[in-house]
Amino acid sequence: MFEDVFNSIKSTKELFIKKFSNAFNFLNNSNVEKEINKRLEEFENKIKSHIEDKNPFENAYRDYRKSYNDFKYNGADEKSILDDINHYKKIDSNADTQFFKSKLEDFKNKYNKKPKIKQTEIKQKIEKEEFDTNKNNYYKETENTQDSENIKIQKDTDIKAIRKYVLDNWKKSLDDKYIDWALNEIDKFREEFFKQIKEFLDYLKDIMELENALGEETGSLFDLSLGNLLKRDIEYIKQLALLIKSNENIKKLCDMLGRFVKEEESYRIEKVLRKETFHTSVRDINSEDEIVGITYSRDIHNILPQEKLLLAEGVLETLFGVKYFENRLLTFKKEGYVDSFYEKDIEEEMTAKEDDKKGPIIICVDTSGSMSGVPETVSKAVTLYLATRAMKQKRNCYLINFSTQIETMDLTYPNTMDNLIEFLRLSFDGGTDAVPALRHAIKTMNTENYKKSDLLFISDFVFNGFTDSDYKLVNEQRKNENRFYSLIIGSTPLFNVKNSIFDYNWCYDSSRGSVKEITENMYSNIFNI
């Protein structure tokens, strides 16, 4: 990889920062920064592979390497130089090949021309040969041989120099052509890359506007796995999101529903081991910090004074020597203390928060003709809010729409936003049969991914109601910690909540824009009484 080419590839990030400096509000997002760096790395790998695999000068470099190796091991001659000049001309049509040919002609004229010998020189040579001794003849012949060898070496050096000069110019021209091509390819690839980045940043701008419209309660929608959203899809979601943001009652409704289908937290007791360092003082017999007693030894430095008195008398000096060699001298016993540190494992009990239990959500949406208009918009807005919230939290989310038939969609991670949009774009028409939707939801609760689910039933509840079998099925699911909620969209219904199949019942009055929880004082013949 040539340095100019390498530096050009590496400069892509710097050029990117200059070109898209106005997008730094996106780039400060850690996920976006990670994605950008990933794409820059992919671009670098892609362009490197391209200029290596698609190099149009590969054959020319192969010819050059072949000629260079021939020069390295075999030297140079007229034919090889002419072949090199022809290869050079193919790479650079403007190359001054005549210059090299003239150098070759000069070489030939210098070494291939026969010297003319004058007659007088011949005569002198003959005369000299007649009078030279054998010894002088020997030295003369040796000198002539040496001159011949020197000429041969110089000749070889000169012709090699010519070929080396041709090869160097050929290589330089080849490198220049390759670098020009590579830099041009990098510029083309980079232009296309920046075009894709601009589209990506425009996409992020739309997503950011969408996040602002949905508000913080849903969390950040952007996780770089939203799927291939089209511009019209984003605009469609923004309309629903703006409805949530601008309509205070709908926003309150979404907030309330969000709290009821919240994720649960659980804790566990963990026993953990931790290392603790302790300090203590340890008696050291090699230390002489203090006197702790008297002992027998031959430690001259610590002998008692009375033992020293033995040295004062000549006859007792022998006794001192005996006691010394027998380690029987009375000496002071000294000891001290040193600091000692040791580690010990301590077992403790700690309360640890478990990973949040992302409770599954099942949303049943009435898409019958009676729900068209404002109820349809409200139900889609609520569905969007809860579904995006679940997707952000990587919670399992299952959608069921029903009229006379049901359609379903599993939004379990990593399904993307475009799957949700496909669901939201369904038209609202036909009659209403809620029983298949409820029974399918209960069947879903029996699967592994949807145990302990929160079910939200969104409808105007203009249908015949549920059967006794449905009530039994729901009660069985309550034992499995599944919960059932209803959101009635329309004028305030009057029914006996005691006989409702749901745990909680709310009503959004689309004509007044108000949200109410339905209490036992409200009656309707929709439910069994």
Side-chain angles (χ1 to χ4, degrees), residues 360-363 387 390-391 395-401 407-420 422-423 440 444 447-450:
I361 302 173
I362 301 174
I363 305 174
M391 290 171 67
R395 301 171 68 182
N396 295 338
C397 183
Y398 197 86
L399 301 182
I400 304 171
N401 80 73
E407 293 185 36
T408 64
M409 180 171 292
D410 191 344
L411 291 180
T412 300
Y413 182 83
N415 283 342
T416 54
M417 182 63 77
D418 46 0
N419 301 111
L420 175 59
E422 180 184 343
F423 183 89
H440 185 81
T444 303
T447 63
E448 185 64 30
N449 287 340
Y450 286 92

PDB file of all heavy atoms in Angstrom, residues 360-363 387 390-391 395-401 407-420 422-423 440 444 447-450:
ATOM      1  N   PRO A 360     -44.334  -9.319  29.124  1.00  0.00           N
ATOM      2  CA  PRO A 360     -44.874  -9.263  27.765  1.00  0.00           C
ATOM      3  C   PRO A 360     -46.157  -8.436  27.698  1.00  0.00           C
ATOM      4  O   PRO A 360     -46.890  -8.302  28.677  1.00  0.00           O
ATOM      5  CB  PRO A 360     -45.147 -10.733  27.426  1.00  0.00           C
ATOM      6  CG  PRO A 360     -44.363 -11.529  28.424  1.00  0.00           C
ATOM      7  CD  PRO A 360     -44.327 -10.693  29.658  1.00  0.00           C
ATOM      8  N   ILE A 361     -46.424  -7.879  26.536  1.00  0.00           N
ATOM      9  CA  ILE A 361     -47.623  -7.075  26.302  1.00  0.00           C
ATOM     10  C   ILE A 361     -48.368  -7.654  25.107  1.00  0.00           C
ATOM     11  O   ILE A 361     -47.766  -7.939  24.070  1.00  0.00           O
ATOM     12  CB  ILE A 361     -47.281  -5.602  26.019  1.00  0.00           C
ATOM     13  CG1 ILE A 361     -46.488  -5.003  27.176  1.00  0.00           C
ATOM     14  CG2 ILE A 361     -48.544  -4.783  25.772  1.00  0.00           C
ATOM     15  CD1 ILE A 361     -45.975  -3.600  26.899  1.00  0.00           C
ATOM     16  N   ILE A 362     -49.669  -7.821  25.263  1.00  0.00           N
ATOM     17  CA  ILE A 362     -50.530  -8.240  24.151  1.00  0.00           C
ATOM     18  C   ILE A 362     -51.575  -7.140  23.957  1.00  0.00           C
ATOM     19  O   ILE A 362     -52.269  -6.755  24.908  1.00  0.00           O
ATOM     20  CB  ILE A 362     -51.218  -9.588  24.429  1.00  0.00           C
ATOM     21  CG1 ILE A 362     -50.171 -10.686  24.662  1.00  0.00           C
ATOM     22  CG2 ILE A 362     -52.147  -9.969  23.283  1.00  0.00           C
ATOM     23  CD1 ILE A 362     -50.772 -12.026  25.092  1.00  0.00           C
ATOM     24  N   ILE A 363     -51.658  -6.616  22.754  1.00  0.00           N
ATOM     25  CA  ILE A 363     -52.596  -5.531  22.462  1.00  0.00           C
ATOM     26  C   ILE A 363     -53.583  -6.020  21.408  1.00  0.00           C
ATOM     27  O   ILE A 363     -53.187  -6.414  20.304  1.00  0.00           O
ATOM     28  CB  ILE A 363     -51.868  -4.273  21.942  1.00  0.00           C
ATOM     29  CG1 ILE A 363     -50.786  -3.839  22.932  1.00  0.00           C
ATOM     30  CG2 ILE A 363     -52.852  -3.132  21.703  1.00  0.00           C
ATOM     31  CD1 ILE A 363     -49.919  -2.686  22.433  1.00  0.00           C
ATOM     32  N   ALA A 387     -46.330  -0.014  21.915  1.00  0.00           N
ATOM     33  CA  ALA A 387     -45.484  -0.944  21.155  1.00  0.00           C
ATOM     34  C   ALA A 387     -44.049  -0.433  21.067  1.00  0.00           C
ATOM     35  O   ALA A 387     -43.093  -1.204  21.230  1.00  0.00           O
ATOM     36  CB  ALA A 387     -46.052  -1.164  19.760  1.00  0.00           C
ATOM     37  N   ALA A 390     -42.376  -0.916  24.332  1.00  0.00           N
ATOM     38  CA  ALA A 390     -41.990  -2.320  24.524  1.00  0.00           C
ATOM     39  C   ALA A 390     -40.765  -2.678  23.681  1.00  0.00           C
ATOM     40  O   ALA A 390     -39.858  -3.383  24.140  1.00  0.00           O
ATOM     41  CB  ALA A 390     -43.164  -3.228  24.158  1.00  0.00           C
ATOM     42  N   MET A 391     -40.721  -2.173  22.448  1.00  0.00           N
ATOM     43  CA  MET A 391     -39.593  -2.477  21.570  1.00  0.00           C
ATOM     44  C   MET A 391     -38.305  -1.891  22.125  1.00  0.00           C
ATOM     45  O   MET A 391     -37.243  -2.512  22.071  1.00  0.00           O
ATOM     46  CB  MET A 391     -39.865  -1.950  20.160  1.00  0.00           C
ATOM     47  CG  MET A 391     -40.958  -2.713  19.425  1.00  0.00           C
ATOM     48  SD  MET A 391     -41.427  -1.924  17.877  1.00  0.00           S
ATOM     49  CE  MET A 391     -39.950  -2.147  16.927  1.00  0.00           C
ATOM     50  N   ARG A 395     -39.010  -5.825  25.236  1.00  0.00           N
ATOM     51  CA  ARG A 395     -40.049  -6.669  25.828  1.00  0.00           C
ATOM     52  C   ARG A 395     -40.824  -7.339  24.702  1.00  0.00           C
ATOM     53  O   ARG A 395     -41.024  -6.772  23.620  1.00  0.00           O
ATOM     54  CB  ARG A 395     -41.011  -5.818  26.668  1.00  0.00           C
ATOM     55  CG  ARG A 395     -40.340  -5.064  27.786  1.00  0.00           C
ATOM     56  CD  ARG A 395     -41.262  -4.071  28.451  1.00  0.00           C
ATOM     57  NE  ARG A 395     -42.342  -4.716  29.185  1.00  0.00           N
ATOM     58  CZ  ARG A 395     -43.298  -4.048  29.824  1.00  0.00           C
ATOM     59  NH1 ARG A 395     -43.315  -2.734  29.808  1.00  0.00           N
ATOM     60  NH2 ARG A 395     -44.231  -4.697  30.485  1.00  0.00           N
ATOM     61  N   ASN A 396     -41.310  -8.524  24.955  1.00  0.00           N
ATOM     62  CA  ASN A 396     -42.120  -9.204  23.954  1.00  0.00           C
ATOM     63  C   ASN A 396     -43.438  -8.457  23.786  1.00  0.00           C
ATOM     64  O   ASN A 396     -44.092  -8.100  24.767  1.00  0.00           O
ATOM     65  CB  ASN A 396     -42.385 -10.646  24.370  1.00  0.00           C
ATOM     66  CG  ASN A 396     -41.110 -11.469  24.407  1.00  0.00           C
ATOM     67  OD1 ASN A 396     -40.122 -11.128  23.767  1.00  0.00           O
ATOM     68  ND2 ASN A 396     -41.116 -12.557  25.160  1.00  0.00           N
ATOM     69  N   CYS A 397     -43.800  -8.242  22.538  1.00  0.00           N
ATOM     70  CA  CYS A 397     -45.030  -7.493  22.240  1.00  0.00           C
ATOM     71  C   CYS A 397     -45.775  -8.201  21.116  1.00  0.00           C
ATOM     72  O   CYS A 397     -45.181  -8.520  20.076  1.00  0.00           O
ATOM     73  CB  CYS A 397     -44.690  -6.062  21.846  1.00  0.00           C
ATOM     74  SG  CYS A 397     -46.146  -5.012  21.548  1.00  0.00           S
ATOM     75  N   TYR A 398     -47.060  -8.418  21.328  1.00  0.00           N
ATOM     76  CA  TYR A 398     -47.866  -9.167  20.363  1.00  0.00           C
ATOM     77  C   TYR A 398     -49.105  -8.337  20.018  1.00  0.00           C
ATOM     78  O   TYR A 398     -49.819  -7.876  20.919  1.00  0.00           O
ATOM     79  CB  TYR A 398     -48.279 -10.510  20.969  1.00  0.00           C
ATOM     80  CG  TYR A 398     -48.768 -11.536  19.975  1.00  0.00           C
ATOM     81  CD1 TYR A 398     -47.867 -12.367  19.326  1.00  0.00           C
ATOM     82  CD2 TYR A 398     -50.126 -11.681  19.696  1.00  0.00           C
ATOM     83  CE1 TYR A 398     -48.305 -13.328  18.417  1.00  0.00           C
ATOM     84  CE2 TYR A 398     -50.566 -12.628  18.794  1.00  0.00           C
ATOM     85  CZ  TYR A 398     -49.656 -13.461  18.150  1.00  0.00           C
ATOM     86  OH  TYR A 398     -50.091 -14.396  17.257  1.00  0.00           O
ATOM     87  N   LEU A 399     -49.349  -8.120  18.735  1.00  0.00           N
ATOM     88  CA  LEU A 399     -50.482  -7.314  18.290  1.00  0.00           C
ATOM     89  C   LEU A 399     -51.525  -8.206  17.624  1.00  0.00           C
ATOM     90  O   LEU A 399     -51.184  -9.100  16.843  1.00  0.00           O
ATOM     91  CB  LEU A 399     -50.024  -6.243  17.295  1.00  0.00           C
ATOM     92  CG  LEU A 399     -48.964  -5.246  17.787  1.00  0.00           C
ATOM     93  CD1 LEU A 399     -48.663  -4.231  16.694  1.00  0.00           C
ATOM     94  CD2 LEU A 399     -49.423  -4.547  19.056  1.00  0.00           C
ATOM     95  N   ILE A 400     -52.785  -7.932  17.963  1.00  0.00           N
ATOM     96  CA  ILE A 400     -53.910  -8.648  17.345  1.00  0.00           C
ATOM     97  C   ILE A 400     -54.925  -7.603  16.899  1.00  0.00           C
ATOM     98  O   ILE A 400     -55.377  -6.784  17.710  1.00  0.00           O
ATOM     99  CB  ILE A 400     -54.586  -9.616  18.333  1.00  0.00           C
ATOM    100  CG1 ILE A 400     -53.568 -10.612  18.899  1.00  0.00           C
ATOM    101  CG2 ILE A 400     -55.756 -10.347  17.665  1.00  0.00           C
ATOM    102  CD1 ILE A 400     -54.123 -11.464  20.044  1.00  0.00           C
ATOM    103  N   ASN A 401     -55.237  -7.567  15.623  1.00  0.00           N
ATOM    104  CA  ASN A 401     -56.344  -6.698  15.204  1.00  0.00           C
ATOM    105  C   ASN A 401     -57.515  -7.575  14.787  1.00  0.00           C
ATOM    106  O   ASN A 401     -57.327  -8.675  14.259  1.00  0.00           O
ATOM    107  CB  ASN A 401     -55.908  -5.738  14.083  1.00  0.00           C
ATOM    108  CG  ASN A 401     -55.882  -6.389  12.719  1.00  0.00           C
ATOM    109  OD1 ASN A 401     -56.930  -6.656  12.123  1.00  0.00           O
ATOM    110  ND2 ASN A 401     -54.691  -6.653  12.203  1.00  0.00           N
ATOM    111  N   GLU A 407     -56.007 -10.640  12.588  1.00  0.00           N
ATOM    112  CA  GLU A 407     -54.662 -10.639  12.014  1.00  0.00           C
ATOM    113  C   GLU A 407     -53.693 -10.377  13.158  1.00  0.00           C
ATOM    114  O   GLU A 407     -53.986  -9.598  14.064  1.00  0.00           O
ATOM    115  CB  GLU A 407     -54.511  -9.563  10.933  1.00  0.00           C
ATOM    116  CG  GLU A 407     -55.348  -9.828   9.697  1.00  0.00           C
ATOM    117  CD  GLU A 407     -55.085  -8.815   8.590  1.00  0.00           C
ATOM    118  OE1 GLU A 407     -53.897  -8.406   8.460  1.00  0.00           O
ATOM    119  OE2 GLU A 407     -56.014  -8.432   7.888  1.00  0.00           O
ATOM    120  N   THR A 408     -52.549 -11.033  13.106  1.00  0.00           N
ATOM    121  CA  THR A 408     -51.610 -10.935  14.233  1.00  0.00           C
ATOM    122  C   THR A 408     -50.213 -10.551  13.750  1.00  0.00           C
ATOM    123  O   THR A 408     -49.873 -10.738  12.574  1.00  0.00           O
ATOM    124  CB  THR A 408     -51.509 -12.271  14.986  1.00  0.00           C
ATOM    125  OG1 THR A 408     -50.969 -13.263  14.103  1.00  0.00           O
ATOM    126  CG2 THR A 408     -52.870 -12.715  15.488  1.00  0.00           C
ATOM    127  N   MET A 409     -49.449 -10.018  14.682  1.00  0.00           N
ATOM    128  CA  MET A 409     -48.047  -9.694  14.398  1.00  0.00           C
ATOM    129  C   MET A 409     -47.259  -9.768  15.699  1.00  0.00           C
ATOM    130  O   MET A 409     -47.632  -9.151  16.697  1.00  0.00           O
ATOM    131  CB  MET A 409     -47.902  -8.308  13.771  1.00  0.00           C
ATOM    132  CG  MET A 409     -46.459  -7.934  13.469  1.00  0.00           C
ATOM    133  SD  MET A 409     -46.325  -6.427  12.500  1.00  0.00           S
ATOM    134  CE  MET A 409     -47.026  -6.972  10.932  1.00  0.00           C
ATOM    135  N   ASP A 410     -46.181 -10.539  15.687  1.00  0.00           N
ATOM    136  CA  ASP A 410     -45.304 -10.665  16.854  1.00  0.00           C
ATOM    137  C   ASP A 410     -44.167  -9.659  16.697  1.00  0.00           C
ATOM    138  O   ASP A 410     -43.350  -9.765  15.794  1.00  0.00           O
ATOM    139  CB  ASP A 410     -44.748 -12.093  16.940  1.00  0.00           C
ATOM    140  CG  ASP A 410     -44.057 -12.370  18.276  1.00  0.00           C
ATOM    141  OD1 ASP A 410     -43.750 -11.394  18.977  1.00  0.00           O
ATOM    142  OD2 ASP A 410     -43.848 -13.545  18.595  1.00  0.00           O
ATOM    143  N   LEU A 411     -44.115  -8.681  17.582  1.00  0.00           N
ATOM    144  CA  LEU A 411     -43.080  -7.655  17.526  1.00  0.00           C
ATOM    145  C   LEU A 411     -41.915  -7.954  18.465  1.00  0.00           C
ATOM    146  O   LEU A 411     -41.176  -7.058  18.853  1.00  0.00           O
ATOM    147  CB  LEU A 411     -43.662  -6.277  17.869  1.00  0.00           C
ATOM    148  CG  LEU A 411     -44.632  -5.681  16.852  1.00  0.00           C
ATOM    149  CD1 LEU A 411     -45.116  -4.328  17.330  1.00  0.00           C
ATOM    150  CD2 LEU A 411     -43.972  -5.548  15.488  1.00  0.00           C
ATOM    151  N   THR A 412     -41.788  -9.215  18.850  1.00  0.00           N
ATOM    152  CA  THR A 412     -40.686  -9.593  19.738  1.00  0.00           C
ATOM    153  C   THR A 412     -39.352  -9.184  19.125  1.00  0.00           C
ATOM    154  O   THR A 412     -39.123  -9.380  17.929  1.00  0.00           O
ATOM    155  CB  THR A 412     -40.703 -11.115  19.986  1.00  0.00           C
ATOM    156  OG1 THR A 412     -41.933 -11.468  20.595  1.00  0.00           O
ATOM    157  CG2 THR A 412     -39.558 -11.526  20.896  1.00  0.00           C
ATOM    158  N   TYR A 413     -38.479  -8.612  19.955  1.00  0.00           N
ATOM    159  CA  TYR A 413     -37.153  -8.179  19.506  1.00  0.00           C
ATOM    160  C   TYR A 413     -36.433  -9.337  18.812  1.00  0.00           C
ATOM    161  O   TYR A 413     -36.522 -10.462  19.266  1.00  0.00           O
ATOM    162  CB  TYR A 413     -36.348  -7.726  20.734  1.00  0.00           C
ATOM    163  CG  TYR A 413     -34.966  -7.210  20.425  1.00  0.00           C
ATOM    164  CD1 TYR A 413     -34.769  -5.900  20.019  1.00  0.00           C
ATOM    165  CD2 TYR A 413     -33.853  -8.049  20.538  1.00  0.00           C
ATOM    166  CE1 TYR A 413     -33.507  -5.426  19.747  1.00  0.00           C
ATOM    167  CE2 TYR A 413     -32.580  -7.585  20.258  1.00  0.00           C
ATOM    168  CZ  TYR A 413     -32.419  -6.271  19.858  1.00  0.00           C
ATOM    169  OH  TYR A 413     -31.161  -5.795  19.585  1.00  0.00           O
ATOM    170  N   PRO A 414     -35.779  -9.142  17.653  1.00  0.00           N
ATOM    171  CA  PRO A 414     -35.405  -7.865  17.067  1.00  0.00           C
ATOM    172  C   PRO A 414     -36.298  -7.395  15.922  1.00  0.00           C
ATOM    173  O   PRO A 414     -35.787  -6.770  14.992  1.00  0.00           O
ATOM    174  CB  PRO A 414     -34.003  -8.162  16.559  1.00  0.00           C
ATOM    175  CG  PRO A 414     -34.096  -9.588  16.081  1.00  0.00           C
ATOM    176  CD  PRO A 414     -35.075 -10.260  16.997  1.00  0.00           C
ATOM    177  N   ASN A 415     -37.578  -7.708  15.924  1.00  0.00           N
ATOM    178  CA  ASN A 415     -38.438  -7.143  14.902  1.00  0.00           C
ATOM    179  C   ASN A 415     -38.404  -5.630  14.970  1.00  0.00           C
ATOM    180  O   ASN A 415     -38.146  -5.047  16.026  1.00  0.00           O
ATOM    181  CB  ASN A 415     -39.870  -7.651  15.059  1.00  0.00           C
ATOM    182  CG  ASN A 415     -40.029  -9.078  14.544  1.00  0.00           C
ATOM    183  OD1 ASN A 415     -39.190  -9.563  13.790  1.00  0.00           O
ATOM    184  ND2 ASN A 415     -41.074  -9.751  14.958  1.00  0.00           N
ATOM    185  N   THR A 416     -38.670  -4.968  13.874  1.00  0.00           N
ATOM    186  CA  THR A 416     -38.355  -3.557  13.763  1.00  0.00           C
ATOM    187  C   THR A 416     -39.591  -2.698  13.567  1.00  0.00           C
ATOM    188  O   THR A 416     -40.714  -3.189  13.430  1.00  0.00           O
ATOM    189  CB  THR A 416     -37.387  -3.334  12.589  1.00  0.00           C
ATOM    190  OG1 THR A 416     -37.959  -3.914  11.409  1.00  0.00           O
ATOM    191  CG2 THR A 416     -36.053  -3.990  12.857  1.00  0.00           C
ATOM    192  N   MET A 417     -39.330  -1.379  13.532  1.00  0.00           N
ATOM    193  CA  MET A 417     -40.408  -0.414  13.441  1.00  0.00           C
ATOM    194  C   MET A 417     -41.238  -0.574  12.175  1.00  0.00           C
ATOM    195  O   MET A 417     -42.444  -0.320  12.176  1.00  0.00           O
ATOM    196  CB  MET A 417     -39.813   1.000  13.498  1.00  0.00           C
ATOM    197  CG  MET A 417     -40.843   2.113  13.471  1.00  0.00           C
ATOM    198  SD  MET A 417     -41.937   2.072  14.903  1.00  0.00           S
ATOM    199  CE  MET A 417     -40.859   2.762  16.139  1.00  0.00           C
ATOM    200  N   ASP A 418     -40.598  -0.997  11.084  1.00  0.00           N
ATOM    201  CA  ASP A 418     -41.371  -1.135   9.857  1.00  0.00           C
ATOM    202  C   ASP A 418     -42.424  -2.234   9.983  1.00  0.00           C
ATOM    203  O   ASP A 418     -43.467  -2.190   9.321  1.00  0.00           O
ATOM    204  CB  ASP A 418     -40.476  -1.382   8.632  1.00  0.00           C
ATOM    205  CG  ASP A 418     -39.421  -2.431   8.873  1.00  0.00           C
ATOM    206  OD1 ASP A 418     -39.380  -2.964   9.998  1.00  0.00           O
ATOM    207  OD2 ASP A 418     -38.644  -2.716   7.952  1.00  0.00           O
ATOM    208  N   ASN A 419     -42.170  -3.232  10.855  1.00  0.00           N
ATOM    209  CA  ASN A 419     -43.206  -4.240  11.114  1.00  0.00           C
ATOM    210  C   ASN A 419     -44.407  -3.627  11.821  1.00  0.00           C
ATOM    211  O   ASN A 419     -45.561  -3.953  11.515  1.00  0.00           O
ATOM    212  CB  ASN A 419     -42.641  -5.373  11.976  1.00  0.00           C
ATOM    213  CG  ASN A 419     -41.469  -6.071  11.330  1.00  0.00           C
ATOM    214  OD1 ASN A 419     -40.343  -5.958  11.786  1.00  0.00           O
ATOM    215  ND2 ASN A 419     -41.710  -6.786  10.245  1.00  0.00           N
ATOM    216  N   LEU A 420     -44.122  -2.726  12.755  1.00  0.00           N
ATOM    217  CA  LEU A 420     -45.206  -2.049  13.468  1.00  0.00           C
ATOM    218  C   LEU A 420     -45.999  -1.159  12.523  1.00  0.00           C
ATOM    219  O   LEU A 420     -47.240  -1.108  12.591  1.00  0.00           O
ATOM    220  CB  LEU A 420     -44.623  -1.218  14.622  1.00  0.00           C
ATOM    221  CG  LEU A 420     -45.606  -0.343  15.398  1.00  0.00           C
ATOM    222  CD1 LEU A 420     -46.715  -1.180  16.019  1.00  0.00           C
ATOM    223  CD2 LEU A 420     -44.869   0.453  16.471  1.00  0.00           C
ATOM    224  N   GLU A 422     -46.440  -1.539   9.381  1.00  0.00           N
ATOM    225  CA  GLU A 422     -47.279  -2.411   8.543  1.00  0.00           C
ATOM    226  C   GLU A 422     -48.595  -2.730   9.254  1.00  0.00           C
ATOM    227  O   GLU A 422     -49.660  -2.750   8.637  1.00  0.00           O
ATOM    228  CB  GLU A 422     -46.506  -3.696   8.243  1.00  0.00           C
ATOM    229  CG  GLU A 422     -47.254  -4.691   7.373  1.00  0.00           C
ATOM    230  CD  GLU A 422     -46.475  -5.982   7.179  1.00  0.00           C
ATOM    231  OE1 GLU A 422     -45.260  -5.994   7.435  1.00  0.00           O
ATOM    232  OE2 GLU A 422     -47.099  -6.988   6.785  1.00  0.00           O
ATOM    233  N   PHE A 423     -48.510  -2.946  10.557  1.00  0.00           N
ATOM    234  CA  PHE A 423     -49.707  -3.231  11.341  1.00  0.00           C
ATOM    235  C   PHE A 423     -50.597  -1.993  11.449  1.00  0.00           C
ATOM    236  O   PHE A 423     -51.822  -2.059  11.279  1.00  0.00           O
ATOM    237  CB  PHE A 423     -49.301  -3.706  12.734  1.00  0.00           C
ATOM    238  CG  PHE A 423     -50.459  -4.103  13.612  1.00  0.00           C
ATOM    239  CD1 PHE A 423     -50.947  -5.396  13.604  1.00  0.00           C
ATOM    240  CD2 PHE A 423     -51.070  -3.177  14.445  1.00  0.00           C
ATOM    241  CE1 PHE A 423     -52.016  -5.758  14.412  1.00  0.00           C
ATOM    242  CE2 PHE A 423     -52.131  -3.529  15.253  1.00  0.00           C
ATOM    243  CZ  PHE A 423     -52.604  -4.828  15.239  1.00  0.00           C
ATOM    244  N   HIS A 440     -57.505 -16.014  21.012  1.00  0.00           N
ATOM    245  CA  HIS A 440     -56.145 -16.115  20.461  1.00  0.00           C
ATOM    246  C   HIS A 440     -55.127 -15.503  21.432  1.00  0.00           C
ATOM    247  O   HIS A 440     -54.017 -16.032  21.595  1.00  0.00           O
ATOM    248  CB  HIS A 440     -56.056 -15.398  19.108  1.00  0.00           C
ATOM    249  CG  HIS A 440     -54.726 -15.562  18.431  1.00  0.00           C
ATOM    250  ND1 HIS A 440     -54.379 -16.676  17.713  1.00  0.00           N
ATOM    251  CD2 HIS A 440     -53.633 -14.749  18.411  1.00  0.00           C
ATOM    252  CE1 HIS A 440     -53.154 -16.558  17.256  1.00  0.00           C
ATOM    253  NE2 HIS A 440     -52.663 -15.387  17.676  1.00  0.00           N
ATOM    254  N   THR A 444     -52.028 -17.367  23.202  1.00  0.00           N
ATOM    255  CA  THR A 444     -50.665 -16.814  23.157  1.00  0.00           C
ATOM    256  C   THR A 444     -50.050 -16.769  24.548  1.00  0.00           C
ATOM    257  O   THR A 444     -48.841 -16.980  24.726  1.00  0.00           O
ATOM    258  CB  THR A 444     -50.692 -15.402  22.537  1.00  0.00           C
ATOM    259  OG1 THR A 444     -51.286 -15.467  21.230  1.00  0.00           O
ATOM    260  CG2 THR A 444     -49.279 -14.833  22.416  1.00  0.00           C
ATOM    261  N   THR A 447     -47.911 -19.636  25.656  1.00  0.00           N
ATOM    262  CA  THR A 447     -46.595 -19.887  25.049  1.00  0.00           C
ATOM    263  C   THR A 447     -45.496 -19.368  25.973  1.00  0.00           C
ATOM    264  O   THR A 447     -45.741 -18.538  26.857  1.00  0.00           O
ATOM    265  CB  THR A 447     -46.483 -19.198  23.678  1.00  0.00           C
ATOM    266  OG1 THR A 447     -46.591 -17.780  23.851  1.00  0.00           O
ATOM    267  CG2 THR A 447     -47.584 -19.685  22.740  1.00  0.00           C
ATOM    268  N   GLU A 448     -44.287 -19.842  25.748  1.00  0.00           N
ATOM    269  CA  GLU A 448     -43.168 -19.510  26.636  1.00  0.00           C
ATOM    270  C   GLU A 448     -42.866 -18.016  26.666  1.00  0.00           C
ATOM    271  O   GLU A 448     -42.562 -17.451  27.717  1.00  0.00           O
ATOM    272  CB  GLU A 448     -41.918 -20.282  26.184  1.00  0.00           C
ATOM    273  CG  GLU A 448     -40.718 -20.124  27.100  1.00  0.00           C
ATOM    274  CD  GLU A 448     -40.964 -20.691  28.489  1.00  0.00           C
ATOM    275  OE1 GLU A 448     -41.750 -21.657  28.611  1.00  0.00           O
ATOM    276  OE2 GLU A 448     -40.385 -20.147  29.453  1.00  0.00           O
ATOM    277  N   ASN A 449     -42.957 -17.371  25.510  1.00  0.00           N
ATOM    278  CA  ASN A 449     -42.577 -15.957  25.427  1.00  0.00           C
ATOM    279  C   ASN A 449     -43.615 -15.009  26.006  1.00  0.00           C
ATOM    280  O   ASN A 449     -43.323 -13.818  26.189  1.00  0.00           O
ATOM    281  CB  ASN A 449     -42.315 -15.562  23.971  1.00  0.00           C
ATOM    282  CG  ASN A 449     -41.019 -16.140  23.451  1.00  0.00           C
ATOM    283  OD1 ASN A 449     -40.149 -16.517  24.232  1.00  0.00           O
ATOM    284  ND2 ASN A 449     -40.884 -16.219  22.136  1.00  0.00           N
ATOM    285  N   TYR A 450     -44.821 -15.503  26.272  1.00  0.00           N
ATOM    286  CA  TYR A 450     -45.886 -14.589  26.695  1.00  0.00           C
ATOM    287  C   TYR A 450     -46.553 -15.024  27.993  1.00  0.00           C
ATOM    288  O   TYR A 450     -47.741 -14.770  28.217  1.00  0.00           O
ATOM    289  CB  TYR A 450     -46.918 -14.423  25.565  1.00  0.00           C
ATOM    290  CG  TYR A 450     -46.367 -13.559  24.460  1.00  0.00           C
ATOM    291  CD1 TYR A 450     -45.707 -14.131  23.383  1.00  0.00           C
ATOM    292  CD2 TYR A 450     -46.452 -12.177  24.526  1.00  0.00           C
ATOM    293  CE1 TYR A 450     -45.160 -13.346  22.378  1.00  0.00           C
ATOM    294  CE2 TYR A 450     -45.908 -11.377  23.534  1.00  0.00           C
ATOM    295  CZ  TYR A 450     -45.267 -11.967  22.464  1.00  0.00           C
ATOM    296  OH  TYR A 450     -44.719 -11.178  21.488  1.00  0.00           O
TER     297      TYR A 450
END
